[in-house]
Amino acid sequence: MKLRLAHYQDSSHVLGPYLRSIIWVQGCLKNCPGCIAEESHDLNGREEDMSTIIKRIKAYPENEGITISGGEPFLQAQALCELVQEVKKDNKGVIVYSGYTYQELKHMNDPYVESLLSMIDLLIDGPYIQSLDMGEAGRGSSNQNFIYLTDRYKDSTYYQQERQSVIYTDGHKYILEGIPTTEVKLLFEAITGGKRQWKKT
């Protein structure tokens, strides 16, 4: 099976507690104004073999888990079920960002969506609403909810801290990872002219 992939980071601390593999999927129907991941909205994109992604995750056994963002992960629920099943064999934690609310996902009556939800430890749900961007850690706007589907991250203080993000370059372009503060957004816009860049791996 293949996954439409926008960006991948082998090990990062900016989208969840502890070190994590970060997967940004390609394709989203929400197109929220002000979204920092505009380049991931197009439903077409490069496809990566699932086996390749799984190998990359397993190459970093020190990572506590994975975070899946996008794009919209639940548009590729079937493929992600396969991925998360493999990750869970190594007792990794799974955090997923979705532009859909938890209630919307439950009402889809999609067996792959249901299966994926059953394997997630923490779901951060809801569309990004620019006017509700209060600079909180772990979420883009205050309407988004932390839905703890297991107890794995319930005691974590990560989401009580300040937002974390990083700007770096791969030698060809600048890349922004994480949920930036207003100051970081302005800095990134000054560097790049406002267009978020995705690392091509």
Side-chain angles (χ1 to χ4, degrees), residues 5 7 16 29 39 61 69 94 103 108 117 122 130 143 170-171 176-177 197 199:
L5 192 63
H7 180 45
L29 301 173
E39 287 77 13
S69 187
V94 178
Q103 290 74 20
M108 286 180 182
L117 285 171
L122 172 58
Q130 200 164 14
N143 61 295
D170 65 357
L176 171 62
E177 290 180 354
Q197 304 291 320
K199 185 178 181 183

Side-chain angles (χ1 to χ4, degrees), residues 158-177:
Y158 179 87
Y159 299 109
Q160 299 166 21
Q161 301 170 20
E162 296 181 352
R163 279 188 178 179
Q164 297 188 43
S165 60
V166 61
I167 297 172
Y168 65 96
T169 180
D170 65 357
H172 301 285
K173 64 182 72 70
Y174 287 97
I175 299 148
L176 171 62
E177 290 180 354

Side-chain angles (χ1 to χ4, degrees), residues 45-104:
R46 71 184 181 92
E47 294 186 331
E48 190 78 71
D49 285 328
M50 194 65 67
S51 59
T52 300
I53 299 171
I54 291 168
K55 283 178 184 176
R56 289 186 69 169
I57 293 170
K58 288 181 178 292
Y60 287 80
E62 68 274 19
N63 288 352
E64 188 275 341
I66 67 170
T67 296
I68 304 170
S69 187
E72 173 52 56
F74 285 91
L75 293 182
Q76 299 186 72
Q78 182 178 1
L80 288 174
C81 280
E82 180 180 326
L83 174 67
V84 173
Q85 283 173 347
E86 284 299 315
V87 167
K88 283 293 184 181
K89 290 178 182 178
D90 294 327
N91 193 33
K92 300 289 188 182
V94 178
I95 297 171
V96 176
Y97 283 84
S98 175
Y100 295 105
T101 65
Y102 181 60
Q103 290 74 20
E104 287 174 328

